[in-house]
């Protein structure tokens, strides 16, 4: 989130923005809670890839439960102390970076799965996957809290005075909490966008490009082989379907977040230009919509996940006992 829109009376665009943000927050939390629930109840979803997907889902839950409410409150012109506002702004950066690094971890996982299929289960274990998730979030906190270490905008002490007219400590004086009142656009463009967003996304695109190349080459070889290669062909066909679904998640992330980062670049390089409020709200809103889209991709594109959601829904509608199995008669492993 970014930009200072100025203190303005509540307008129709503000009310529309708040209403839409509220709907997206509810959809993000509900949809991604179902993602986590599906992985918990279906053992066939408890592989390393879905470990990273759960990490992404937790980041999206945080967007709905924390980031969007903070965005709405800040749009209302909340007054806080300087470091309180800075900490809230850094929290938004941490959660966003967690999403990006989770997507990168998923891409690396799928890359290893097609490059070293025979040794994948030895190299990528559940324990190592959990360590990787922890490392992703550690790096997210480190990069997101950089503004707390000094790369921020200090309020002008001359703008804050006490009753006698003497200047007060700018960090103690209340300010209207706006993202750009405390976070530098230099940081957002050069460090956050180019370093923490563009670089991981370029790596992801390269990984998925290589994944599709390897799969297509090996499927071509299997097609020329005898029927002895049927098992390998099915393996790579399944990997291709899942890779397409996860690449779609990355593409949606780019489409949803790119407008906001473009607006950040405009704010940095064209400081004399006043960004329209509707454009700013649209950029912020699209970045939040991404968190509600991921569960839809999983439901429509991944059969194992879709069937699990249907089973969960039936349990809730039919009020089946908590001890009853969602997958009777040993039907826990679902292909696709």
């Amino acid at each position: 989130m970014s930009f200072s829109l100025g203190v303005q009376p509540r307008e129709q665009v503000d009310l529309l923005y708040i209403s839409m943000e509220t709907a997206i927050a509810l959809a993000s939390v509900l949809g991604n809670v179902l993602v986590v629930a599906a992985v918990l109840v279906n053992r066939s979803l408890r592989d390393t890839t879905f470990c990273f997907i759960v990490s992404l889902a937790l980041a999206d839950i945080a967007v709905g439960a924390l980031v969007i409410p903070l965005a709405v409150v800040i749009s209302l012109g909340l007054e806080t102390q300087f470091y309180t506002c800075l900490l809230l702004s850094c929290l938004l950066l941490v959660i966003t970076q967690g999403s990006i690094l989770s997507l990168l971890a998923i891409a690396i996982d799928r890359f290893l799965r097609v490059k070293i299929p025979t040794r994948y289960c030895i190299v990528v274990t559940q324990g190592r996957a959990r360590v990787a998730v922890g490392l992703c979030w550690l790096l997210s906190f480190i990069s997101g809290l950089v503004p707390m270490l000094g790369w921020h905008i200090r309020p002008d002490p001359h703008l804050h005075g006490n009753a006698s007219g003497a200047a007060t400590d700018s960090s103690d004086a209340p300010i209207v909490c706006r993202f750009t009142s405390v976070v530098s656009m230099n940081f957002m463009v050069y460090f956050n966008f180019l370093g923490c967003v563009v670089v991981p996304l370029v790596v992801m695109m390269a990984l998925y490009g290589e994944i599709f190349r390897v799969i297509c080459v090996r499927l071509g070889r299997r097609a020329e082989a005898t029927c002895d290669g049927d098992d390998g062909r099915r393996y790579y066909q399944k990997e291709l379907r899942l890779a397409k679904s996860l690449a779609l998640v990355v593409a949606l992330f780019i489409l949803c977040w790119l407008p906001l980062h473009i607006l950040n670049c405009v704010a940095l390089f064209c400081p004399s230009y006043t960004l329209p409020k509707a454009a700013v709200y649209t950029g912020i809103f699209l970045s939040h919509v991404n968190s509600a889209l991921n569960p839809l991709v999983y439901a429509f594109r991944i059969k194992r996940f879709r069937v699990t959601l249907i089973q969960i829904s039936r349990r809730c509608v039919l009020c089946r006992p908590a001890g009853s199995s969602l997958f009777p008669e040993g039907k826990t492993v679902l292909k696709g």
Side-chain angles (χ1 to χ4, degrees), residues 143-161:
S143 61
L145 294 176
V146 165
M148 294 290 295
L149 303 178
W151 199 344
H152 55 247
I153 301 174
R154 297 285 303 187
D156 187 348
H158 297 291
L159 297 178
H160 307 285

Side-chain angles (χ1 to χ4, degrees), residues 21-163:
E21 285 280 46
T22 302
I24 288 298
L26 293 174
S28 298
V29 172
L30 178 60
N32 286 286
V33 164
L34 287 175
V35 171
V36 176
V39 174
L40 290 177
V41 302
N42 188 348
R43 291 182 180 179
S44 74
L45 294 177
R46 297 179 196 171
D47 58 20
T48 52
T49 298
F50 278 89
C51 177
F52 299 124
I53 288 178
V54 166
S55 175
L56 179 59
L58 292 176
D60 289 335
I61 290 172
V63 169
L66 294 175
V67 173
I68 294 179
L70 284 176
V72 171
V73 169
I74 289 177
S75 73
L76 297 176
L78 173 69
E79 283 198 356
T80 67
Q81 291 185 337
F82 168 74
Y83 280 110
T84 301
C85 183
L86 183 59
L87 181 60
L88 293 178
S89 300
C90 289
L91 180 62
L92 309 183
L93 298 173
V94 168
I95 294 171
T96 302
Q97 196 61 35
S99 298
I100 296 171
L101 293 181
S102 295
L103 288 171
L104 179 59
I106 291 171
I108 294 173
D109 174 74
R110 303 321 296 178
F111 174 77
L112 293 175
R113 195 171 182 91
V114 299
K115 288 292 282 188
I116 52 170
T118 57
R119 295 187 293 118
Y120 172 81
C121 293
I122 299 174
V123 175
V124 185
T125 63
Q126 284 287 352
R128 289 175 179 172
R130 294 189 183 100
V131 170
V133 169
L135 183 60
C136 286
W137 283 100
L138 177 61
L139 292 176
S140 299
F141 273 95
I142 292 174
S143 61
L145 294 176
V146 165
M148 294 290 295
L149 303 178
W151 199 344
H152 55 247
I153 301 174
R154 297 285 303 187
D156 187 348
H158 297 291
L159 297 178
H160 307 285
N162 55 26

Side-chain angles (χ1 to χ4, degrees), residues 212-228:
F212 291 131
R213 188 195 68 80
V214 170
I215 291 177
C216 289
V217 168
R218 294 185 180 177
L219 282 176
R221 291 175 181 172
R222 298 290 178 182
E224 297 173 358
T226 63
C227 60
D228 294 336

